[in-house]
Amino acid sequence: MSSKVIKGGTVVTADLTYKADVRIEGGVIVEIGPNLVGDEVLDAAGCYVMPGGIDPHVHLEMPFMGTYSADDFESGTRAGLAGGTTMVVDFCLPDPGQSLLDALKRWDNKSTRANADYSFHMAVTWWDKQVFEEMETVVREKGINTFKHFMAYKGALMVNDDEMFASFSRCAELGALPLVHAENGDIVASMQEKLMASGNNGPEAHAYSRPPEVEGEATNRAITIADMAGCPVYIVHTSCEQAHEAIRRARQKGMRVYGEPLIQHLLLDESEYSNPDWDHAAARVMSPPFRNKLHQDSLWAGLQAGSLSCVATDHCSFTIKQKRYGVGDFRKIPNGTGGLEDRMPLLWSYGVNTGRLTMNEFVAVTSTNIAKILNMYPKKGAIVVGADADIVVWDPKRTKTISAKTQQSPVEYNVFEGKEVTGLPRYTLTRGYVAIEEATVKTREGHGQFVSREPFQAVSKALSTWKELVAPRKVERTGIPASGV
Ligand SMILES: NC(=O)NCCC(=O)O
Ligand SMILES: [Zn+2]
Ligand SMILES: [Zn+2]
């Protein structure tokens, strides 16, 4: 079997920085140390050798708001690899009333074109006995240990509190982790109607209809429901201080609550919606919307302090034509933006190069924490012997200006257009295969494999043991007085 050696670089993991070569054989790391030899040498002089990025939140070819998101598993994973991301986790979305297992077949078909490894979260979009039962098959046989719940998108994907409580309780039994899109969907729907009735129909009204308070309230509620059900909870696209505050408080109380800010919310702000160009503003319509600088500071502080766990993209891109479905009614603008190709270079440039994050923290929030939270560490998210050789050889001196003209995605714009980045992949390897060599893209359609994830053992056991210990117990009494009747 032929081998590759990544030579002369500095290995950077979530907790260590050291000089070493890395030898790869059969798609996995087989040796780490000085002066290694192999059949092929990848020159890493002046570079950092890091676990490839993992994006825990993407929507590729997602059926949503009457259309499909524009990037599919081929272009989406190609974009990811170009920016140093070697694995994505997408969301399987059953239609209301549809079997979870039937929905999964559709996602299995779409993902055969992936250039990089991937996994799925399963969404709970409706609730009855069939969903309850199929959840077990999803966890035990299909290798999916995470279930997504939308508290927004009323009349479409949204689930109510009783459905969430039932589903979270089932997650607790199965050793699964619930994920939540936390916005109060009832309030958003009312606000949207009021705004439309008062003539506010432009993309800026999307942001007016979803203020930080509705996200903070829903985040608190999701955390409370998880606490009652006895399971951990993962809050996706945490965008504001109110939601971060709820997560921080819960963690201080000892709860296993994970918060996931997006690169978009860290770097882009609400002024984008005031742009006089309708297409510019609509292109940035996503949920939750972009916030102000104070919220951005809160998210950066959370990553530094550890109250927020990882950085994702929620990559869900739509063409200008698709965004224009909402001309005259902002409620019909498909929600979502891209970011897969740019997350790693942007977080490095605005995080590590500014001193907000250390290199090790960068690895933690883009890869290792995610692999641990989703239960696939150290197969993914690690530079250790035996781990998959999903590696990015990172050149901290390479620069570019982000532009839609040079991106992998077929979409005509990029919400980060014009931003300069310093820090880019020299090589991106997916299970040992060099898919990216500087600006040369050598991705292989169909190379990506599904990553099966086992149920959580440790956290589930700890939480159920504690729940049992503190469960309400009948007080046994002697000498009960006779009824007063
Ligand atoms: N975030 C967004 O606007 N679109 C994708 C679907 C979701 O994650 O809510
Ligand atoms: Zn969402
Ligand atoms: Zn999403």
PDB file of all heavy atoms in Angstrom, residues 219-220 222-224 227 233 235 243-258 307:
ATOM      1  N   THR A 219     -34.557  30.017  23.187  1.00  0.00           N
ATOM      2  CA  THR A 219     -33.372  29.292  23.669  1.00  0.00           C
ATOM      3  C   THR A 219     -33.578  28.866  25.120  1.00  0.00           C
ATOM      4  O   THR A 219     -33.335  27.712  25.488  1.00  0.00           O
ATOM      5  CB  THR A 219     -32.111  30.173  23.519  1.00  0.00           C
ATOM      6  OG1 THR A 219     -31.999  30.575  22.158  1.00  0.00           O
ATOM      7  CG2 THR A 219     -30.852  29.438  23.944  1.00  0.00           C
ATOM      8  N   ASN A 220     -34.079  29.809  25.932  1.00  0.00           N
ATOM      9  CA  ASN A 220     -34.399  29.483  27.334  1.00  0.00           C
ATOM     10  C   ASN A 220     -35.378  28.330  27.420  1.00  0.00           C
ATOM     11  O   ASN A 220     -35.230  27.423  28.243  1.00  0.00           O
ATOM     12  CB  ASN A 220     -35.074  30.692  28.001  1.00  0.00           C
ATOM     13  CG  ASN A 220     -34.102  31.463  28.855  1.00  0.00           C
ATOM     14  OD1 ASN A 220     -33.437  30.885  29.709  1.00  0.00           O
ATOM     15  ND2 ASN A 220     -34.018  32.755  28.616  1.00  0.00           N
ATOM     16  N   ALA A 222     -36.081  25.984  25.160  1.00  0.00           N
ATOM     17  CA  ALA A 222     -35.499  24.705  24.721  1.00  0.00           C
ATOM     18  C   ALA A 222     -34.625  24.114  25.825  1.00  0.00           C
ATOM     19  O   ALA A 222     -34.646  22.899  26.081  1.00  0.00           O
ATOM     20  CB  ALA A 222     -34.671  24.925  23.452  1.00  0.00           C
ATOM     21  N   ILE A 223     -33.883  24.973  26.503  1.00  0.00           N
ATOM     22  CA  ILE A 223     -32.997  24.500  27.575  1.00  0.00           C
ATOM     23  C   ILE A 223     -33.833  23.935  28.728  1.00  0.00           C
ATOM     24  O   ILE A 223     -33.515  22.885  29.306  1.00  0.00           O
ATOM     25  CB  ILE A 223     -32.071  25.646  28.048  1.00  0.00           C
ATOM     26  CG1 ILE A 223     -31.047  25.981  26.953  1.00  0.00           C
ATOM     27  CG2 ILE A 223     -31.371  25.297  29.352  1.00  0.00           C
ATOM     28  CD1 ILE A 223     -30.244  27.248  27.191  1.00  0.00           C
ATOM     29  N   THR A 224     -34.920  24.621  29.048  1.00  0.00           N
ATOM     30  CA  THR A 224     -35.801  24.145  30.127  1.00  0.00           C
ATOM     31  C   THR A 224     -36.401  22.784  29.768  1.00  0.00           C
ATOM     32  O   THR A 224     -36.442  21.858  30.602  1.00  0.00           O
ATOM     33  CB  THR A 224     -36.933  25.165  30.384  1.00  0.00           C
ATOM     34  OG1 THR A 224     -36.335  26.419  30.633  1.00  0.00           O
ATOM     35  CG2 THR A 224     -37.809  24.754  31.548  1.00  0.00           C
ATOM     36  N   ASP A 227     -33.827  20.144  30.136  1.00  0.00           N
ATOM     37  CA  ASP A 227     -33.559  19.879  31.551  1.00  0.00           C
ATOM     38  C   ASP A 227     -34.635  18.951  32.119  1.00  0.00           C
ATOM     39  O   ASP A 227     -34.342  17.980  32.824  1.00  0.00           O
ATOM     40  CB  ASP A 227     -33.531  21.217  32.306  1.00  0.00           C
ATOM     41  CG  ASP A 227     -32.940  21.076  33.697  1.00  0.00           C
ATOM     42  OD1 ASP A 227     -32.140  20.143  33.907  1.00  0.00           O
ATOM     43  OD2 ASP A 227     -33.280  21.888  34.574  1.00  0.00           O
ATOM     44  N   VAL A 233     -28.572  19.453  25.232  1.00  0.00           N
ATOM     45  CA  VAL A 233     -29.203  20.101  24.076  1.00  0.00           C
ATOM     46  C   VAL A 233     -28.184  20.971  23.350  1.00  0.00           C
ATOM     47  O   VAL A 233     -27.278  21.530  23.975  1.00  0.00           O
ATOM     48  CB  VAL A 233     -30.469  20.906  24.488  1.00  0.00           C
ATOM     49  CG1 VAL A 233     -30.144  22.096  25.394  1.00  0.00           C
ATOM     50  CG2 VAL A 233     -31.255  21.387  23.274  1.00  0.00           C
ATOM     51  N   ILE A 235     -27.879  24.099  20.665  1.00  0.00           N
ATOM     52  CA  ILE A 235     -28.631  25.210  20.053  1.00  0.00           C
ATOM     53  C   ILE A 235     -27.891  25.644  18.781  1.00  0.00           C
ATOM     54  O   ILE A 235     -26.750  26.101  18.863  1.00  0.00           O
ATOM     55  CB  ILE A 235     -28.749  26.410  21.023  1.00  0.00           C
ATOM     56  CG1 ILE A 235     -29.244  25.960  22.422  1.00  0.00           C
ATOM     57  CG2 ILE A 235     -29.645  27.483  20.423  1.00  0.00           C
ATOM     58  CD1 ILE A 235     -30.646  25.430  22.488  1.00  0.00           C
ATOM     59  N   ALA A 243     -29.580  34.835  23.540  1.00  0.00           N
ATOM     60  CA  ALA A 243     -29.489  33.368  23.442  1.00  0.00           C
ATOM     61  C   ALA A 243     -28.204  32.878  24.116  1.00  0.00           C
ATOM     62  O   ALA A 243     -28.212  31.876  24.843  1.00  0.00           O
ATOM     63  CB  ALA A 243     -29.519  32.942  21.976  1.00  0.00           C
ATOM     64  N   HIS A 244     -27.122  33.605  23.885  1.00  0.00           N
ATOM     65  CA  HIS A 244     -25.840  33.226  24.496  1.00  0.00           C
ATOM     66  C   HIS A 244     -25.961  33.275  26.019  1.00  0.00           C
ATOM     67  O   HIS A 244     -25.463  32.393  26.721  1.00  0.00           O
ATOM     68  CB  HIS A 244     -24.746  34.180  23.981  1.00  0.00           C
ATOM     69  CG  HIS A 244     -23.399  33.946  24.573  1.00  0.00           C
ATOM     70  ND1 HIS A 244     -22.415  34.889  24.563  1.00  0.00           N
ATOM     71  CD2 HIS A 244     -22.854  32.868  25.209  1.00  0.00           C
ATOM     72  CE1 HIS A 244     -21.339  34.419  25.151  1.00  0.00           C
ATOM     73  NE2 HIS A 244     -21.574  33.199  25.561  1.00  0.00           N
ATOM     74  N   GLU A 245     -26.643  34.295  26.519  1.00  0.00           N
ATOM     75  CA  GLU A 245     -26.810  34.453  27.976  1.00  0.00           C
ATOM     76  C   GLU A 245     -27.547  33.234  28.569  1.00  0.00           C
ATOM     77  O   GLU A 245     -27.161  32.702  29.619  1.00  0.00           O
ATOM     78  CB  GLU A 245     -27.584  35.747  28.251  1.00  0.00           C
ATOM     79  CG  GLU A 245     -27.553  36.229  29.683  1.00  0.00           C
ATOM     80  CD  GLU A 245     -28.780  35.822  30.468  1.00  0.00           C
ATOM     81  OE1 GLU A 245     -29.834  35.595  29.830  1.00  0.00           O
ATOM     82  OE2 GLU A 245     -28.695  35.728  31.701  1.00  0.00           O
ATOM     83  N   ALA A 246     -28.576  32.782  27.848  1.00  0.00           N
ATOM     84  CA  ALA A 246     -29.330  31.604  28.322  1.00  0.00           C
ATOM     85  C   ALA A 246     -28.429  30.370  28.355  1.00  0.00           C
ATOM     86  O   ALA A 246     -28.467  29.573  29.307  1.00  0.00           O
ATOM     87  CB  ALA A 246     -30.529  31.363  27.413  1.00  0.00           C
ATOM     88  N   ILE A 247     -27.604  30.228  27.334  1.00  0.00           N
ATOM     89  CA  ILE A 247     -26.694  29.064  27.256  1.00  0.00           C
ATOM     90  C   ILE A 247     -25.647  29.139  28.364  1.00  0.00           C
ATOM     91  O   ILE A 247     -25.365  28.166  29.065  1.00  0.00           O
ATOM     92  CB  ILE A 247     -26.016  29.017  25.858  1.00  0.00           C
ATOM     93  CG1 ILE A 247     -27.055  28.747  24.781  1.00  0.00           C
ATOM     94  CG2 ILE A 247     -24.892  27.979  25.821  1.00  0.00           C
ATOM     95  CD1 ILE A 247     -26.574  28.983  23.357  1.00  0.00           C
ATOM     96  N   ARG A 248     -25.099  30.353  28.532  1.00  0.00           N
ATOM     97  CA  ARG A 248     -24.052  30.576  29.545  1.00  0.00           C
ATOM     98  C   ARG A 248     -24.576  30.228  30.942  1.00  0.00           C
ATOM     99  O   ARG A 248     -23.953  29.534  31.729  1.00  0.00           O
ATOM    100  CB  ARG A 248     -23.701  32.061  29.493  1.00  0.00           C
ATOM    101  CG  ARG A 248     -22.291  32.409  29.747  1.00  0.00           C
ATOM    102  CD  ARG A 248     -21.990  33.830  29.293  1.00  0.00           C
ATOM    103  NE  ARG A 248     -22.894  34.849  29.743  1.00  0.00           N
ATOM    104  CZ  ARG A 248     -23.352  35.830  28.965  1.00  0.00           C
ATOM    105  NH1 ARG A 248     -23.005  35.918  27.698  1.00  0.00           N
ATOM    106  NH2 ARG A 248     -24.180  36.735  29.445  1.00  0.00           N
ATOM    107  N   ARG A 249     -25.792  30.723  31.212  1.00  0.00           N
ATOM    108  CA  ARG A 249     -26.399  30.518  32.535  1.00  0.00           C
ATOM    109  C   ARG A 249     -26.633  29.028  32.767  1.00  0.00           C
ATOM    110  O   ARG A 249     -26.349  28.500  33.859  1.00  0.00           O
ATOM    111  CB  ARG A 249     -27.713  31.301  32.609  1.00  0.00           C
ATOM    112  CG  ARG A 249     -28.391  31.295  33.944  1.00  0.00           C
ATOM    113  CD  ARG A 249     -29.337  32.479  34.144  1.00  0.00           C
ATOM    114  NE  ARG A 249     -29.872  33.059  32.933  1.00  0.00           N
ATOM    115  CZ  ARG A 249     -30.962  32.639  32.293  1.00  0.00           C
ATOM    116  NH1 ARG A 249     -31.639  31.602  32.736  1.00  0.00           N
ATOM    117  NH2 ARG A 249     -31.391  33.238  31.195  1.00  0.00           N
ATOM    118  N   ALA A 250     -27.140  28.345  31.757  1.00  0.00           N
ATOM    119  CA  ALA A 250     -27.406  26.909  31.904  1.00  0.00           C
ATOM    120  C   ALA A 250     -26.101  26.144  32.151  1.00  0.00           C
ATOM    121  O   ALA A 250     -26.038  25.255  33.005  1.00  0.00           O
ATOM    122  CB  ALA A 250     -28.090  26.380  30.647  1.00  0.00           C
ATOM    123  N   ARG A 251     -25.071  26.517  31.432  1.00  0.00           N
ATOM    124  CA  ARG A 251     -23.778  25.822  31.607  1.00  0.00           C
ATOM    125  C   ARG A 251     -23.218  26.074  33.002  1.00  0.00           C
ATOM    126  O   ARG A 251     -22.639  25.170  33.608  1.00  0.00           O
ATOM    127  CB  ARG A 251     -22.787  26.256  30.518  1.00  0.00           C
ATOM    128  CG  ARG A 251     -23.140  25.694  29.147  1.00  0.00           C
ATOM    129  CD  ARG A 251     -22.253  26.267  28.055  1.00  0.00           C
ATOM    130  NE  ARG A 251     -20.876  25.841  28.147  1.00  0.00           N
ATOM    131  CZ  ARG A 251     -20.359  24.801  27.510  1.00  0.00           C
ATOM    132  NH1 ARG A 251     -21.119  24.050  26.722  1.00  0.00           N
ATOM    133  NH2 ARG A 251     -19.084  24.496  27.647  1.00  0.00           N
ATOM    134  N   GLN A 252     -23.422  27.321  33.493  1.00  0.00           N
ATOM    135  CA  GLN A 252     -22.942  27.623  34.856  1.00  0.00           C
ATOM    136  C   GLN A 252     -23.673  26.777  35.891  1.00  0.00           C
ATOM    137  O   GLN A 252     -23.142  26.479  36.948  1.00  0.00           O
ATOM    138  CB  GLN A 252     -23.149  29.102  35.181  1.00  0.00           C
ATOM    139  CG  GLN A 252     -21.960  29.943  34.779  1.00  0.00           C
ATOM    140  CD  GLN A 252     -22.227  31.423  34.872  1.00  0.00           C
ATOM    141  OE1 GLN A 252     -23.344  31.849  35.155  1.00  0.00           O
ATOM    142  NE2 GLN A 252     -21.205  32.210  34.638  1.00  0.00           N
ATOM    143  N   LYS A 253     -24.902  26.399  35.546  1.00  0.00           N
ATOM    144  CA  LYS A 253     -25.673  25.548  36.465  1.00  0.00           C
ATOM    145  C   LYS A 253     -25.295  24.071  36.305  1.00  0.00           C
ATOM    146  O   LYS A 253     -25.874  23.207  36.954  1.00  0.00           O
ATOM    147  CB  LYS A 253     -27.170  25.716  36.196  1.00  0.00           C
ATOM    148  CG  LYS A 253     -27.715  27.021  36.724  1.00  0.00           C
ATOM    149  CD  LYS A 253     -29.238  27.000  36.884  1.00  0.00           C
ATOM    150  CE  LYS A 253     -29.957  26.823  35.597  1.00  0.00           C
ATOM    151  NZ  LYS A 253     -31.409  26.953  35.658  1.00  0.00           N
ATOM    152  N   GLY A 254     -24.387  23.785  35.380  1.00  0.00           N
ATOM    153  CA  GLY A 254     -23.916  22.406  35.211  1.00  0.00           C
ATOM    154  C   GLY A 254     -24.610  21.649  34.101  1.00  0.00           C
ATOM    155  O   GLY A 254     -24.410  20.445  33.954  1.00  0.00           O
ATOM    156  N   MET A 255     -25.420  22.348  33.309  1.00  0.00           N
ATOM    157  CA  MET A 255     -26.140  21.635  32.249  1.00  0.00           C
ATOM    158  C   MET A 255     -25.273  21.472  31.000  1.00  0.00           C
ATOM    159  O   MET A 255     -24.445  22.320  30.704  1.00  0.00           O
ATOM    160  CB  MET A 255     -27.427  22.389  31.908  1.00  0.00           C
ATOM    161  CG  MET A 255     -28.414  22.388  33.063  1.00  0.00           C
ATOM    162  SD  MET A 255     -29.712  23.599  32.868  1.00  0.00           S
ATOM    163  CE  MET A 255     -30.530  22.949  31.449  1.00  0.00           C
ATOM    164  N   ARG A 256     -25.506  20.360  30.286  1.00  0.00           N
ATOM    165  CA  ARG A 256     -24.767  20.140  29.031  1.00  0.00           C
ATOM    166  C   ARG A 256     -25.532  20.822  27.910  1.00  0.00           C
ATOM    167  O   ARG A 256     -26.430  20.228  27.302  1.00  0.00           O
ATOM    168  CB  ARG A 256     -24.636  18.652  28.727  1.00  0.00           C
ATOM    169  CG  ARG A 256     -23.457  17.965  29.391  1.00  0.00           C
ATOM    170  CD  ARG A 256     -23.726  17.686  30.824  1.00  0.00           C
ATOM    171  NE  ARG A 256     -22.719  16.848  31.455  1.00  0.00           N
ATOM    172  CZ  ARG A 256     -22.886  16.316  32.638  1.00  0.00           C
ATOM    173  NH1 ARG A 256     -23.996  16.516  33.337  1.00  0.00           N
ATOM    174  NH2 ARG A 256     -21.928  15.579  33.169  1.00  0.00           N
ATOM    175  N   VAL A 257     -25.201  22.071  27.666  1.00  0.00           N
ATOM    176  CA  VAL A 257     -25.849  22.854  26.619  1.00  0.00           C
ATOM    177  C   VAL A 257     -24.751  23.383  25.708  1.00  0.00           C
ATOM    178  O   VAL A 257     -23.779  23.963  26.183  1.00  0.00           O
ATOM    179  CB  VAL A 257     -26.656  24.025  27.219  1.00  0.00           C
ATOM    180  CG1 VAL A 257     -27.289  24.856  26.129  1.00  0.00           C
ATOM    181  CG2 VAL A 257     -27.724  23.506  28.171  1.00  0.00           C
ATOM    182  N   TYR A 258     -24.913  23.156  24.403  1.00  0.00           N
ATOM    183  CA  TYR A 258     -23.888  23.582  23.442  1.00  0.00           C
ATOM    184  C   TYR A 258     -24.452  24.676  22.538  1.00  0.00           C
ATOM    185  O   TYR A 258     -25.578  24.559  22.056  1.00  0.00           O
ATOM    186  CB  TYR A 258     -23.443  22.391  22.586  1.00  0.00           C
ATOM    187  CG  TYR A 258     -23.077  21.178  23.412  1.00  0.00           C
ATOM    188  CD1 TYR A 258     -23.904  20.059  23.452  1.00  0.00           C
ATOM    189  CD2 TYR A 258     -21.920  21.173  24.195  1.00  0.00           C
ATOM    190  CE1 TYR A 258     -23.581  18.951  24.218  1.00  0.00           C
ATOM    191  CE2 TYR A 258     -21.590  20.071  24.971  1.00  0.00           C
ATOM    192  CZ  TYR A 258     -22.435  18.969  24.979  1.00  0.00           C
ATOM    193  OH  TYR A 258     -22.120  17.873  25.752  1.00  0.00           O
ATOM    194  N   SER A 307     -18.097  29.302  26.527  1.00  0.00           N
ATOM    195  CA  SER A 307     -19.552  29.138  26.708  1.00  0.00           C
ATOM    196  C   SER A 307     -20.222  28.814  25.377  1.00  0.00           C
ATOM    197  O   SER A 307     -21.348  28.315  25.350  1.00  0.00           O
ATOM    198  CB  SER A 307     -20.168  30.380  27.358  1.00  0.00           C
ATOM    199  OG  SER A 307     -19.710  31.551  26.729  1.00  0.00           O
TER     200      SER A 307
END
